[in-house]
């Protein structure tokens, strides 16, 4: 599936792509990634930005968010993923938007660590409650370092993406999947741009739509939702078109590809101006 570039008069931003050091994965998680027939090739991508840029060109994708996060106990990702993501994105900083992470239980001074990441070239942070084993508002409840992460990101103008919705990776704790915890974050850090990843799929989509309508700083990404079923999951999508960002979650085992997902999205009955906001304009406001 190629040629979206020739359909659309503008480049697409896919804000949610996982180019990660898969070699760090713990065995049980690795087995899930290895269910993809192309897993060996995928594992090399974090070391080969040119190959990723070529895939983006073929799909008509101008920029991607390169999602990485620290989850040493559950996934196996060490704090070194930040250096790895920054090095990867440095190959084309105008097209590769590096997302890193500071896990407040594994950082001595979380605020200083956020500053250090910004210096490396990390442009945004990922918080993954079911894989990092704390709620997005855990700073209210025994994890003060998380407030330092948000405060510093707000001051430095770094958007924060929060995973919302369930995860089926081995060991993921879905009591942290409920996006309502992000309501506190949106209130306590009103100038911090938030992106609720996956719009709460599949159990919490109404909550995410509520939060996006309530808070000026809350956005949703539609990654991980099969695009053909997007309007069944999010019937009010056109009403919140200014708050929604395109994303695929590729190469999660359920996601076919950058171009395939994009083609399915373009086949939906949505006005061209709504498509363009979601595919490009909203993301460029957050990442000029
Ligand atoms: Zn993801």
């Amino acid at each position: 599936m190629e040629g979206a570039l020739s359909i659309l008069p503008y480049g697409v931003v896919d804000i949610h792509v996982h180019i990660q050091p898969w070699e760090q994965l713990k065995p049980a998680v690795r087995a899930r990634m290895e269910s993809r027939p192309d897993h060996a090739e995928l594992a090399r991508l974090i070391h080969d930005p040119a190959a990723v840029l070529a895939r983006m060109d073929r799909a008509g994708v101008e920029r991607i968010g390169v999602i990485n996060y620290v989850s040493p106990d559950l996934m196996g990702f060490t704090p070194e993923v930040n250096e790895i993501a920054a090095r990867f994105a440095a190959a084309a900083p105008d097209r590769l938007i590096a997302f890193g992470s500071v896990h407040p239980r594994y950082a001595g001074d979380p605020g200083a660590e956020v500053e250090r990441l910004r210096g490396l070239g990390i442009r945004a942070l990922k918080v993954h409650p079911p894989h990092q084993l704390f709620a997005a508002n855990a700073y209210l409840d025994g994890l003060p370092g998380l407030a330092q992460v948000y405060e510093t990101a707000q001051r430095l103008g770094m958007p924060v993406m929060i995973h919302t919705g369930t995860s089926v990776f081995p060991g993921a704790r879905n009591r942290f999947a409920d996006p309502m915890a992000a309501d506190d974050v949106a209130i306590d850090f009103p100038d911090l741009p938030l992106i609720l990843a996956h719009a709460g799929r599949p159990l919490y989509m109404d909550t995410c739509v509520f939060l996006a309508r309530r808070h000026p700083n809350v956005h949703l990404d539609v990654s991980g939702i099969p695009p053909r079923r997007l309007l069944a999951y999010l019937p009010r999508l056109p009403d919140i078109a200014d708050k929604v960002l395109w994303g695929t979650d590729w190469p999660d085992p359920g996601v076919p590809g950058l171009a395939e997902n994009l083609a399915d999205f373009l086949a939906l009955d949505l006005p061209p101006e709504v498509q363009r906001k979601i595919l490009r304009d909203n993301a460029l406001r957050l990442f000029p």
Side-chain angles (χ1 to χ4, degrees), residues 16 18 126 198 249:
H16 197 131
H18 287 278
K126 174 76 181 267
H198 320 304
D249 212 22

Side-chain angles (χ1 to χ4, degrees), residues 218-286:
V218 170
H219 309 74
L220 311 181
D221 89 31
V222 295
S223 68
I225 304 169
R228 276 177 224 213
R229 305 208 49 220
L230 188 56
L231 291 173
Y233 274 110
L234 283 174
R236 300 187 70 181
L237 183 67
D239 299 343
I240 53 169
D242 290 318
K243 307 299 284 293
V244 176
L245 278 63
W246 176 245
T248 56
D249 212 22
W250 184 80
D252 183 84
V255 179
L258 303 181
E260 290 86 341
N261 279 43
L262 189 52
D264 285 347
F265 175 79
L266 291 171
L268 296 175
D269 186 19
L270 286 170
E273 63 273 17
V274 167
Q275 290 180 347
R276 184 182 166 123
K277 286 177 178 180
I278 294 171
L279 292 175
R280 178 177 176 88
D281 295 347
N282 296 338
L284 290 194
R285 265 203 318 279
L286 292 183

Side-chain angles (χ1 to χ4, degrees), residues 197-211:
H198 320 304
R201 185 181 91 103
L203 303 181
Y204 306 105
M205 311 206 73
D206 290 347
T207 303
C208 279
V209 170
F210 165 78
L211 293 172

